Amino acid sequence: GTYLWMELSEKRLSSGMFNPAQAEDAYQQHAWILDRSRYFLGVSHLDVESLDLVYGFNLDYLGNRDALVHDSLLEGSLLASLADQSGAIVLNFEPILIIALEDDCSMQARIAIETHNNVYQVRNDDYEEDPISIYFTLRAHRKPGEKFDPIQSLRRQARVGEDLLTRIVIPRIVRPIALAIAADQ
C-alpha cells in the first residue's frame, strides 16, 4: 500500500511517502510540510543547514544478498577479482558512493546499498526475509551568504534526482540487481 509519514526531532524535520502512485505526490507532501514549517514551527531559511531528498527501493531476495549484489554490480571488474578466488564467499558487500554534483560541493548525490545479511546466515544457509535496500539521496547544502529556499531546493533536487534515476540509478544499479534476483528464483 501507500502511506505518508512525518517525524519531528530537535534538529530535523523528515517526511516521506511509501509507494507513491507518482513521485509528484511525494514532492507535494514535502513542499506542503516545508511551507508550513515556517509558520507552525518558526523554521526560517537561516535554520536550514541542508535538505535531503531520498529515493528508496526494496528488492526481496532470500539468499546471500551480499554475493548477489556483488555479482550483479561488479562482475568482471578489478575489484571483483578478490572474490573470484577459489572457495571465496562474499560475506559483506554494501557499497556507498558519494559524489559532488557541483564544484562548491553544495549538492551531493549518495547511493547506498544495504543487504541485511550476516555471517551466521551465510554459514548456516539460513536467511531471513529481508530486502536488499537501495537508497539514492540528493543533499543540498545552504551556500554561504545565500538565502536557502527549501521549496525551490526541493524542486531542483527532484529534477536532478529524476534525471540521475532515469539515466543511471535504475538502469545500472536497480535493474541489474532485480534481474539477478529474477534469474535466481
Side-chain angles (χ1 to χ4, degrees):
T2 297
Y3 63 87
L4 311 171
W5 58 270
M6 188 185 90
E7 179 182 342
L8 178 63
S9 60
E10 187 176 328
K11 295 192 178 222
R12 186 176 64 201
L13 173 63
S14 303
S15 80
M17 181 177 271
F18 183 78
N19 278 342
Q22 301 174 49
E24 187 58 37
D25 296 339
Y27 302 146
Q28 286 176 1
Q29 174 191 331
H30 302 323
W32 185 88
I33 289 172
L34 287 169
D35 184 50
R36 277 138 188 93
S37 70
R38 291 184 290 171
Y39 305 109
F40 295 107
L41 300 174
V43 176
S44 79
H45 67 280
L46 297 173
D47 298 316
V48 180
E49 180 181 310
S50 63
L51 181 69
D52 287 0
L53 178 60
V54 181
Y55 300 88
F57 305 87
N58 282 332
L59 305 173
D60 292 329
Y61 179 67
L62 193 61
N64 186 339
R65 293 177 287 277
D66 290 297
L68 182 117
V69 170
H70 172 274
D71 293 349
S72 61
L73 296 183
L74 291 185
E75 186 176 355
S77 73
L78 296 174
L79 185 58
S81 62
L82 182 61
D84 291 341
Q85 303 303 305
S86 178
I89 300 170
V90 177
L91 294 177
N92 188 307
F93 187 72
E94 295 187 320
I96 295 174
L97 175 66
I98 302 172
I99 61 169
L101 298 174
E102 298 173 336
D103 290 342
D104 64 0
C105 300
S106 60
M107 187 179 293
Q108 302 164 8
R110 176 183 192 265
I111 186 83
I113 301 172
E114 296 179 6
T115 57
H116 311 284
N117 261 8
N118 62 49
V119 174
Y120 173 85
Q121 292 174 352
V122 175
R123 184 183 302 134
N124 296 298
D125 196 30
D126 184 20
Y127 298 95
E128 295 185 14
E129 293 188 34
D130 287 321
I132 296 168
S133 299
I134 303 168
Y135 299 106
F136 179 60
T137 305
L138 287 148
R139 174 172 286 173
H141 290 276
R142 180 177 67 205
K143 294 181 182 189
E146 289 187 14
K147 182 178 177 182
F148 189 80
D149 182 338
I151 296 174
Q152 181 181 357
S153 182
L154 172 67
R155 289 186 181 122
R156 183 168 171 257
Q157 287 169 255
R159 280 192 308 273
V160 171
E162 287 191 22
D163 173 59
L164 291 171
L165 282 168
T166 303
R167 287 187 308 108
I168 299 167
V169 174
I170 292 173
R172 295 182 177 211
I173 298 169
V174 176
R175 188 169 294 133
I177 294 170
L179 290 171
I181 291 169
D184 196 54
Q185 299 299 323

